[in-house]
Amino acid sequence: MVRAAALRPLNLIVLVIGVVFFAATLAWWALPLTLATYAALVALGTGDPILQRRTLGRKEPEALQARDLSPERRARWLPRGETREKVDAALVEYRKVVAAIEASDDVTRSVLDDTVPRLHAAADRLVDVALQREKAAETVKDLRGKPGSGSGARSDNLQTLEERIEEADAEIAATGGELLDLRAKVVRVSIDAGNAQRANELNASLDELNARLEALEDINSP
């Protein structure tokens, strides 16, 4: 990293300009000032994360990069088709639920303080399931067309994959309806904000949804 920072073009330009200026003017202060500036730039460069990634080949894990994106943007990675349409529709309902909570009064927002993180988690997991579903479907399509796919371990694995794909399809289809119901529950909580049981029921529904989606996240495990 020190070598990379020392050879950085901008740092070298500063060094060259300082040396040329000293040679042309013989100003005694120019040389130590140039060296001090160059040393400071090298020290700062060694801690530059961009230079570190380029020099050391470090990359952020793709999972972390993906998590920085909204579920709507990640859903664009899905191929156009029925699965993407269902996911897009479910995400529309998800945003409406979040908006309903944010538009509520202070008491309701306080009661539903734990609900929004659960909603975000459910939306992210829904997209994860859909992406895994599409990957699994592509794998099945590819392997079904190869010789020997109708017998043995490959056939068992393909059958398991197809079953997981069906489970994912059912869950993706059901999630949109559940999010629609959750929006109605949010309205009920806002009307009866003093009833903590309604908020608990809402969060319990989200916990159940998250648990089911999490169980389907690794569709390709066979």
Side-chain angles (χ1 to χ4, degrees):
M1 283 303 303
V2 172
R3 184 173 66 251
L7 297 176
R8 213 172 189 178
L10 178 61
N11 297 351
L12 290 175
I13 289 173
V14 171
L15 181 62
V16 170
I17 290 175
V19 171
V20 171
F21 180 80
F22 172 74
T25 63
L26 296 179
W28 64 268
W29 51 266
L31 191 57
L33 179 61
T34 298
L35 293 175
T37 303
Y38 177 69
L41 290 172
V42 171
L44 290 172
T46 58
D48 186 346
I50 297 176
L51 183 61
Q52 287 177 353
R53 286 198 294 271
R54 188 167 62 241
T55 304
L56 304 178
R58 292 176 179 172
K59 294 182 179 180
E60 294 182 4
E62 291 184 4
L64 293 180
Q65 294 177 359
R67 288 301 183 184
D68 291 337
L69 302 177
S70 68
E72 287 88 352
R73 289 191 63 184
R74 293 175 59 227
R76 295 176 191 170
W77 300 344
L78 292 165
R80 295 190 179 277
E82 187 176 356
T83 299
R84 179 169 172 176
E85 290 175 1
K86 290 178 180 179
V87 170
D88 287 341
L91 291 177
V92 169
E93 294 303 327
Y94 147 72
R95 284 299 176 188
K96 288 181 179 179
V97 177
V98 173
I101 294 174
E102 292 175 346
S104 302
D105 56 77
D106 292 341
V107 175
T108 303
R109 288 199 302 272
S110 177
V111 170
L112 297 177
D113 185 54
D114 294 335
T115 303
V116 174
R118 288 178 166 90
L119 279 166
H120 294 330
D124 280 326
R125 287 193 171 108
L126 172 65
V127 177
D128 288 340
V129 169
L131 289 169
Q132 287 288 326
R133 186 262 179 222
E134 292 301 298
K135 188 185 298 183
E138 184 177 349
T139 300
V140 169
K141 182 179 179 180
D142 180 50
L143 293 181
R144 281 295 186 198
K146 296 185 180 298
S149 62
S151 61
R154 188 193 303 176
S155 177
D156 294 339
N157 284 334
L158 286 173
Q159 184 176 352
T160 301
L161 274 175
E162 289 169 342
E163 291 172 355
R164 299 295 296 277
I165 290 171
E166 291 178 1
E167 292 174 10
D169 287 339
E171 194 59 53
I172 291 170
T175 298
E178 291 196 37
L179 289 170
L180 183 62
D181 293 339
L182 286 172
R183 186 150 58 104
K185 290 181 180 180
V186 169
V187 175
R188 291 178 65 187
V189 171
S190 64
I191 294 173
D192 192 9
N195 189 343
Q197 182 62 30
R198 294 199 186 282
N200 291 337
E201 291 174 355
L202 176 58
N203 287 331
S205 298
L206 275 170
D207 288 340
E208 181 183 352
L209 175 60
N210 272 305
R212 293 201 312 270
L213 289 172
E214 187 176 9
L216 285 170
E217 278 183 350
D218 194 8
I219 294 175
N220 276 311
S221 57

